[in-house]
Amino acid sequence: MNEKIFLASGNPGKLAEFFGLAGPGELPTPRLDLALLPDFSSLPAFDESAPTFAEIAAGKALHYSRLVGALILADDSGLVVPALGGRPGVRSARYGGPDATSAERNERLLREMRNFAGGERRAYFVCALALARRGRAIAIVTARADGEILHAPRGARGFGYDPIFYVRDRDQTFAELPMEQKNQLSHRGKAFRRMAQFISAI
Ligand code: IMP
């Protein structure tokens, strides 16, 4: 599959991970030719108010693939804390208000969970990826990565909730792991590798 795939995202943290995931030697399938969707931020935005990650990813991919006659890969991702009824969930990017910083979102979540112990601190990241061309969906995949929410941030890598997301097997947060190791374990890495198999069969 030599067709260029355009990523419909403006989040620099996610974009760095996608390019790492598509890089040389990363995929068992042939390499994917990924590029940023030109002028992404000046195109009409997609309304992300649907209640599930998969609906938002699929809706975004369909929306941008109608505006641009090309193969579009869109993602929606977020952090789910079952003991908080699934919050922040599909609202992860806007938790605590649209202008809050990642550090402020993390502080808010830590505050809300300050009395949680043991299994109540369990959390998982979800990534839904959708591929569409000219208003038709080609594939949708969803994957998750399990961990726990720490009591204080640790690590300076990654983005978003990474400093408070702890992986017990590694004894590290996502923000302490080098990107290649995070990509091996992460929701985005798992979903992307599955999507790459679909793409190689197109
Ligand atoms: P959206 O997919 O653009 O709605 O944004 C997802 C939001 O979920 C991000 O802005 C982060 O706050 C959070 N998120 C998703 N994936 C990750 C991750 O791998 N690490 C940390 N935070 C993430």
Side-chain angles (χ1 to χ4, degrees):
M1 226 287 298
N2 298 322
E3 194 176 339
K4 216 182 242 314
I5 299 169
F6 289 97
L7 278 170
S9 175
N11 177 326
K14 289 199 233 176
L15 292 171
E17 290 185 4
F18 279 122
F19 285 112
L21 283 161
E26 292 299 321
L27 292 170
T29 53
R31 272 189 73 184
L32 300 183
D33 190 3
L34 275 190
L36 293 182
L37 185 56
D39 301 325
F40 172 75
S41 54
S42 58
L43 292 170
F46 174 71
D47 170 16
E48 298 196 14
S49 56
T52 66
F53 294 105
E55 276 174 86
I56 297 171
K60 235 191 267 188
L62 292 170
H63 170 80
Y64 288 104
S65 77
R66 285 188 196 106
L67 296 173
V68 182
L71 200 50
I72 299 289
L73 182 65
D75 97 316
D76 193 53
S77 54
L79 180 70
V80 176
V81 180
L84 285 175
R87 288 202 314 274
V90 290
R91 298 195 52 77
S92 292
R94 291 148 283 164
Y95 207 50
D99 299 327
T101 62
S102 288
E104 287 164 350
R105 285 188 232 290
N106 288 343
E107 278 164 29
R108 173 179 172 174
L109 195 61
L110 292 180
R111 224 174 20 250
E112 288 181 330
M113 294 179 67
R114 66 186 175 280
N115 296 322
F116 289 12
E120 289 174 323
R121 303 201 72 85
R122 277 207 311 264
Y124 56 91
F125 278 118
V126 175
C127 175
L129 289 180
L131 186 72
R133 190 199 276 123
R134 296 190 192 86
R136 285 174 184 267
I138 298 172
I140 300 173
V141 298
T142 300
R144 74 186 244 183
D146 286 273
E148 295 161 40
I149 301 301
L150 287 182
H151 287 273
R154 266 172 47 180
R157 297 183 164 112
F159 67 98
Y161 300 93
D162 281 346
I164 58 171
F165 187 82
Y166 174 73
V167 184
R168 191 161 287 279
D169 280 357
R170 301 291 176 107
D171 188 24
Q172 278 177 313
T173 65
F174 266 6
E176 292 175 307
L177 290 169
M179 189 176 76
E180 309 75 58
Q181 288 180 32
K182 178 186 168 186
N183 279 347
Q184 284 305 317
L185 305 174
S186 78
H187 48 313
R188 191 164 296 103
K190 291 177 191 170
F192 189 81
R193 286 186 288 274
R194 195 131 21 98
M195 181 58 91
Q197 292 178 343
F198 275 103
I199 294 173
S200 62
I202 293 177

